[in-house]
Amino acid sequence: MFAEVAQSDGVGGGLMARFRAVHDSRAAYNTLHSLESILAVATYGTATVGGNTVTGISHWADDAPQELLAVLGCRRDPWTGLHRAPSERTLRRVLAGVDGDELDRQTCRYLGGQAAIGEFGEFGEGQASERCVETAEIEDVAAHLRVGMGVERETRRARQRARQRPDPAGVLAGGAADGKALRGARHGEEHGPQLLSLLHHTRGVVLGQRRIADKTSEVPELAPLLLDALACGDIAVVTVDALHTVRETARHLSEDLGLYYVMILKENQPKALAAAMLALAGGTDAAHERAATGHTDLDKGHGRRERRTIRTAAADGIDFPHAAQVFRIVRQVAETGGPGVSKEVAYGITNAPPDVAGPAHLGIYVRRHWTVENREHYVRDRTYREDECQARTGQLPHVLACLRNLVLGAFRQKDHANIAHARRHYTHVPQRLLALFNL
């Protein structure tokens, strides 16, 4: 069975080929275990319950069946004939010496080249379908998602939402860039490493990640990150928070890469913010909607009601590279059945003209920017307890974060929305683990 699954998944190609492309800095006499087998064991261990740390990965590897260890390329003991997984000490030492940025490039290119089932399964995002994923129609759902009498709840809800609230025509593929600090890896007064990543808006896979150099910020690292990420995915829009709303980034995205940017304006760009507030001050929301420069979106869920109103205006006279439009988003949130209402106002700027990105499109791009928090950072912190992981030797924190991104991307490609459920689903069935990656 293991050999058949391994053959069908292309063992020796795919992810294993990417692992072989990572430079091994060890001396030849100190390579009892190959680097690709160590990375494969660490990846599979990360995909299982308890694989949040090197210790947890090692415990899983100690109990892994021989057939699985053979597929992962683990060394075969000539005396006993058994395949031996690398020890915890070996895993910790070797992973700490791997170049994290190089491993990120290889794993992101692997994910970028995989054919995804998609965030919303066979229907695709924004496509209405008459086929309903309910308990009585479980046969319409991929077999690996069937659990008991129903499918994964979050996946079912995502598909229902895609049918009920389809996207307007013309929404482009985008990526969200944001940084994350590995707080558990800090030592004494020294801060832990910081990583900047780009997440695909709808696929939920990391297209690129880089470590932010010490004594600098995220801003100068965005340009090299995008060069790596564009080789991994077909994105046309890049969304960033206010930290990256700088002139050089806007110029680079527009002139050098030919991408559309959607940026949030705050006090770090006082002149552009003041000009945007002035341009968007006049008129009512109803008047803007009649003029096709406004849009209102109502949403209900998670115990709250939300109203998002966006209006746009031409960026005439605003001194910002290639600016075409400015926009204002007003968010009003109230608890379901509650009296109180909170209000938040945000301003932004984009180089996308109105015929490419209307008010509804810009609202979607801004909202999807938060997928990098909800689908990557939050999951790594809550499900993988990343901020509690105190691994801090060499490149180990970066490498573990890279492997978590790889596993998260593989789960997303298989249409899993609940990552904790996915880890339980794959932990005790080696055949499922083998089918997760193309090793």
Side-chain angles (χ1 to χ4, degrees):
M1 174 61 74
F2 289 93
E4 292 175 0
V5 176
Q7 182 67 26
S8 65
D9 283 350
V11 175
L15 183 59
M16 192 63 82
R18 294 293 182 183
F19 285 159
R20 283 195 292 269
V22 177
H23 175 66
D24 189 353
S25 60
R26 296 176 295 169
Y29 67 84
N30 197 24
T31 55
L32 187 62
H33 297 274
S34 65
L35 179 59
E36 59 263 29
S37 68
I38 292 175
L39 292 173
V41 168
T43 300
Y44 271 66
T46 302
T48 60
V49 174
N52 300 343
T53 63
V54 177
T55 300
I57 294 171
S58 177
H59 287 174
W60 169 83
D62 289 341
D63 295 331
Q66 283 292 300
E67 295 87 345
L68 180 56
L69 294 178
V71 172
L72 299 183
C74 292
R75 181 183 67 90
R76 184 174 181 270
D77 191 322
W79 300 104
T80 64
L82 299 177
H83 292 274
R84 300 295 186 186
S87 65
E88 178 182 348
R89 182 178 179 182
T90 299
L91 286 169
R92 196 176 298 275
R93 173 176 55 84
V94 175
L95 294 179
V98 173
D99 186 336
D101 287 333
E102 183 180 3
L103 182 61
D104 267 319
R105 281 192 293 271
Q106 296 299 333
T107 55
C108 290
R109 287 172 183 172
Y110 164 78
L111 289 173
Q114 296 302 297
I117 293 177
E119 182 186 8
F120 302 102
E122 59 183 308
F123 306 139
E125 183 185 8
Q127 298 178 7
S129 172
E130 297 178 356
R131 300 169 66 189
C132 186
V133 185
E134 300 292 348
T135 302
E137 300 181 2
I138 296 302
E139 62 273 10
D140 292 338
V141 184
H144 63 273
L145 290 179
R146 301 177 191 172
V147 179
M149 294 299 295
V151 298
E152 187 180 307
R153 180 182 61 181
E154 288 77 5
T155 301
R156 184 174 66 251
R157 288 178 175 175
R159 291 186 173 189
Q160 291 173 346
R161 182 181 179 85
R163 291 193 301 272
Q164 296 168 359
R165 303 172 62 87
D167 286 345
V171 175
L172 303 174
D178 196 22
K180 184 181 187 302
L182 305 180
R183 295 183 177 88
R186 62 186 177 187
H187 182 65
E189 297 298 325
E190 298 180 2
H191 295 288
Q194 289 188 317
L195 305 176
L196 178 65
S197 60
L198 184 77
L199 185 84
H200 196 283
H201 280 173
T202 55
R203 291 177 58 195
V205 300
V206 175
L207 301 177
Q209 181 174 261
R210 286 180 63 86
R211 180 167 179 169
I212 301 171
D214 296 336
K215 298 183 180 180
T216 185
S217 68
E218 300 175 17
V219 177
E221 299 294 340
L222 182 60
L225 170 68
L226 291 172
L227 289 178
D228 291 337
L230 290 178
C232 306
D234 53 343
I235 60 173
V237 179
V238 175
T239 59
V240 296
D241 57 20
L243 178 64
H244 292 279
T245 305
V246 296
R247 299 178 62 88
E248 176 56 27
T249 298
R251 185 207 64 78
H252 177 66
L253 288 169
S254 300
E255 298 178 8
D256 300 338
L257 301 180
L259 298 175
Y260 295 117
Y261 62 76
V262 177
M263 297 178 169
I264 300 299
L265 288 172
K266 288 189 177 179
E267 287 75 10
N268 61 334
Q269 293 291 336
K271 294 183 179 180
L273 176 59
M277 295 174 67
L278 181 62
L280 295 163
T284 64
D285 292 335
H288 276 275
E289 290 195 29
R290 288 193 297 269
T293 58
H295 179 75
T296 299
D297 187 22
L298 302 176
D299 198 6
K300 182 178 180 181
H302 304 286
R304 64 180 182 266
R305 293 173 287 110
E306 187 173 358
R307 177 188 178 94
R308 295 180 295 274
T309 304
I310 182 171
R311 59 171 64 177
T312 63
D316 299 335
I318 296 181
D319 184 20
F320 199 79
H322 302 278
Q325 297 184 86
V326 290
F327 58 88
R328 185 188 76 180
I329 298 178
V330 179
R331 305 183 185 96
Q332 294 174 308
V333 182
E335 295 183 2
T336 303
V341 177
S342 65
K343 181 178 178 180
E344 179 184 359
V345 181
Y347 290 87
I349 193 167
T350 179
N351 62 340
D355 58 333
V356 173
H361 299 84
L362 291 175
I364 289 174
Y365 296 142
V366 171
R367 195 175 188 196
R368 285 183 179 168
H369 175 72
W370 294 103
T371 56
V372 69
E373 291 286 350
N374 299 335
R375 307 187 73 189
E376 182 194 357
H377 297 170
Y378 180 82
V379 176
R380 279 165 46 183
D381 282 340
R382 302 296 294 179
T383 303
Y384 280 96
R385 306 292 182 185
E386 186 170 80
D387 283 348
E388 299 176 15
C389 179
Q390 297 184 3
R392 59 175 66 96
T393 305
Q395 293 283 319
L396 187 55
H398 186 176
V399 170
L400 291 178
C402 173
L403 296 180
R404 290 167 189 143
N405 285 340
L406 172 61
V407 171
L408 289 176
F411 287 156
R412 304 289 187 198
Q413 302 277 34
K414 296 294 186 180
D415 208 19
H416 289 286
N418 187 321
I419 302 304
H421 161 83
R423 297 180 78 188
R424 293 190 297 267
H425 181 72
Y426 287 93
T427 294
H428 302 297
V429 184
Q431 292 89 342
R432 292 175 183 170
L433 271 176
L434 283 174
L436 184 59
F437 297 100
N438 292 333
L439 286 186

